[in-house]
DNA sequence: TTGAAAGCGCTACCAC
DNA sequence: GTGGTAGCGCTTTCAA
């Protein structure tokens, strides 16, 4: 491994000068700077970040903490963040919690984060008070995505508003028995999103003059399989809903499938709305509330750069940035069937094939 | 930040002894070891990996290079790898190429990789000869996923065999005009997979005594949108195929959608097969050739540990591990329509809605 | 079993 | 403009 010393020897200058030249600092004659760059390139010299880190205290690395890397939403946010970060020479250290509380504690409350990265981006998790004070006490630079605390910058969407949009759409179509498929109560403790969406659901229902029937609320775990199970469950009710609002597209896709399984026509007999605008949504004709996903990662990365005095490529807007959502009407929603959901009685049930 | 020195001061022992004790090395009295551990815990000491790295030359970090993080396949492989790596105390540095050749060169042929990580896992990319020699010259430990070279361990599936399985299934159902939707020629240079799957397609066709009609080959870019376009194209042909084999489920999902757009019944008029068993496949009733995805990441991580003399938790099988694939028949495939694809003539075309 | 001290490969301060 | 050098926070001989 050729080091800075080799370059210095090669050009017959001091280590200090080489260091300055290679980092584009002033105080090196143009001629020498040129020779140094040549030599460095010829020798295939690349500075040891580790050593630089130890000397400067900066790692040029940002940690990203994700609940589940393999989920579309999170990997897409990571992608967005990575794009702007790598453009600025920052590397990305990925911590995948995989839903484990143990991993969460290990990652969030040790110096793994603070000693190895200049900043941390936390996706989808609501930091506990303990985590907040720990991170704050250790001078961590933190940016949140999908959650918000006063202390740190954040980028989110208005989850409550997104729910309201979705439900208002259903209400406008005449639906009155609207079911909800969301996260579980435990999840709601850790994740900001499920709770806010549930709150929004209730708010929208009452604003629309409808009653949210507790019997129509289901847990879908934000997965297709969870949505499927919830959907079956709902459709097997004696008085099934005429519409289902799902807190994510993945769950909505599961409900769509459940409807097919039960021979329930969408949207004639059942309307389904999700949130996200998942890449599959348009191919499945799913009506949804679109949120910008990669953009949330991008914006979070910009906040990080600002935090690190890196004057970001674009002006960083608000400290607590709330991105816009937008209703995308496709054909999974339609007018409420006259007389409510009749298929439970008329068409009978049973799997399709 | 409390450092090792603080701990040493606290217990009244030397830095050297503390270092030994904390790393579980022999040569420390049980009593002192205990006191040191207590003190470290009380002071909230966590060693600086950077400093350790500089001193030992090991980073306890592995780099993972991904063509596109946000693609289901890759993020799932990353997830699998992360699980075993984090279990062994390794951190994961993520390099997302996002399809950029410039990024690829920057990542693969600088010391980013070799100086910052003990090993590199490269997903889905066929290393060029230049990259191979560069990495080899710089003593990089490399493990490949979805590609293979003699020099390094790898974990793959038999892509050719997967194609053969899919096509044989279609042929057995009586299909003769079988279309192929895969990657582009340029992609094939960089990615091992598209090429192998195309080769397998051709092999299977001839083995089944069928002729691969070049007019029935399309580029789908491994995305749903690409598959959709290819599907429209194929179905608009004067002599459309009765079956489409797609090199990935995402493209197959696009073709499924194209069929719906054109009012073509699946599987009655058109059979569709993919490869992957994407999480959405079962919900869309897609027949596919399943490959273990997270498992490829897990196995790659085990190879990494073996490379780093970490005696892995499980025995590492072959150096060039080839994981099994399996045909999963669902209802997107069925017997070839008698008399070939007639819908172009009888049913007319036009979008559905 | 313990401690002193020499690095690891840089950066940054201070002289020149 | 340039060079000498003291750290950065550890690990690892080598002696005691």
């Amino acid at each position: 491994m050729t080091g800075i010393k080799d370059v210095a020897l090669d050009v017959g200058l001091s280590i200090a000068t080489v260091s300055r030249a290679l980092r584009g600092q002033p105080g090196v004659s143009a001629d020498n700077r040129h020779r140094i760059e040549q030599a460095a390139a010829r020798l295939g010299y690349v500075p040891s970040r580790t050593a630089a880190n130890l000397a400067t205290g900066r790692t040029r690395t940002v940690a990203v903490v994700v609940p589940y890397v393999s989920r579309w939403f999170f990997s897409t946010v990571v992608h967005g963040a990575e794009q702007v970060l790598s453009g600025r020479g920052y590397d990305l250290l990925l911590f995948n919690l995989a839903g484990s509380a143990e991993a969460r504690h290990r990652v969030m409350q040790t110096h793994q984060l603070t000693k190895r990265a200049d900043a941390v981006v936390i996706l989808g998790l609501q930091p506990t008070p303990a985590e907040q004070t720990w991170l704050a006490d250790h001078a961590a630079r933190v940016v949140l995505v999908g959650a918000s605390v006063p202390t740190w910058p954040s980028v989110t969407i208005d989850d409550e508003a997104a729910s309201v949009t979705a439900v208002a759409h259903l209400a406008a179509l005449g639906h009155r028995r609207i079911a909800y498929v969301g996260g579980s109560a435990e999840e709601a403790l850790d994740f900001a999103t499920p709770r806010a969406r549930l709150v929004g659901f209730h708010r929208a229902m009452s604003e629309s003059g409808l009653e949210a029937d507790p019997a129509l609320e289901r847990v879908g775990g934000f997965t297709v399989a969870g949505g499927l199970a919830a959907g079956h469950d709902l459709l097997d009710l004696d008085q099934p809903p005429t519409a289902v609002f799902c807190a994510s597209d993945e769950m909505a896709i599961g409900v769509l499938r459940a409807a097919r399984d039960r021979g329930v026509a969408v949207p004639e007999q059942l309307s389904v709305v999700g949130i996200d605008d998942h890449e599959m949504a348009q191919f499945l004709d799913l009506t949804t509330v679109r949120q910008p996903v990669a953009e949330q990662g991008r914006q979070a990365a910009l906040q990080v750069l600002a935090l690190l005095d890196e004057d970001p490529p674009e002006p960083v807007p608000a400290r607590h940035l709330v991105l816009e959502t937008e209703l995308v009407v496709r054909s999974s929603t339609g007018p409420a069937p006259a007389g409510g959901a009749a298929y439970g009685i008329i068409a009978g049930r049973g799997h399709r094939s």
Side-chain angles (χ1 to χ4, degrees), chain A residues 77 79-81 83-84 293-303 314:
Chain A
V77 174
H79 180 270
Q83 289 300 85
V84 356
V293 183
E295 183 63 14
Q296 293 183 57
R298 276 179 30 76
Q299 292 294 341
L302 293 177
Q303 299 274 14
E314 310 168 22

Side-chain angles (χ1 to χ4, degrees), chain A residues 158-244:
Chain A
D158 186 336
D159 285 297
E160 253 189 79
S163 284
V164 172
T165 303
V167 174
H169 170 62
L170 293 172
L173 288 167
H175 293 276
R176 307 196 59 81
R177 282 186 67 70
I178 302 177
Y180 177 75
V181 180
S184 67
E186 309 89 71
E187 267 174 344
L189 293 178
D190 289 342
F191 299 102
T193 296
R195 186 172 1 101
R197 294 188 185 167
L198 177 60
V199 169
F201 170 68
H202 286 143
R203 201 182 92 202
M205 289 296 276
S206 66
E207 279 177 4
S208 307
L210 301 177
E211 228 172 294
D213 182 348
L216 295 182
E217 287 179 22
R218 288 292 180 288
V219 167
F222 283 79
T223 63
V224 184
L228 176 64
H232 282 152
D233 220 43
L234 251 12
L235 295 177
D236 290 343
L237 250 29
D238 285 334
Q239 287 197 40
T242 66
V244 183

Side-chain angles (χ1 to χ4, degrees), chain A residues 94-146:
Chain A
L94 184 73
F95 293 95
N96 177 33
L97 268 24
S100 145
E102 186 272 316
R104 176 174 179 158
H105 182 268
R106 176 165 37 80
V107 168
M108 303 274 271
Q109 307 203 32
T110 68
H111 282 285
Q112 285 213 280
L113 252 37
T114 57
K115 280 197 176 170
R116 300 211 56 191
D118 297 338
V120 190
V121 177
I122 300 177
L123 305 191
L125 300 170
Q126 183 65 36
T128 64
E131 286 164 350
Q132 286 182 51
T133 61
W134 199 94
L135 287 167
D137 286 352
H138 292 79
R141 324 296 213 143
V142 181
V143 173
L144 261 29
V145 175

Side-chain angles (χ1 to χ4, degrees), chain A residues 44-70:
Chain A
Y45 168 72
V46 174
S48 155
R49 283 217 185 191
T50 311
N53 168 15
L54 196 53
T56 60
R58 309 202 66 178
T59 58
R60 289 203 79 81
T61 295
V62 354
V64 178
V65 180
V66 224
Y68 303 92
V69 232
S70 48

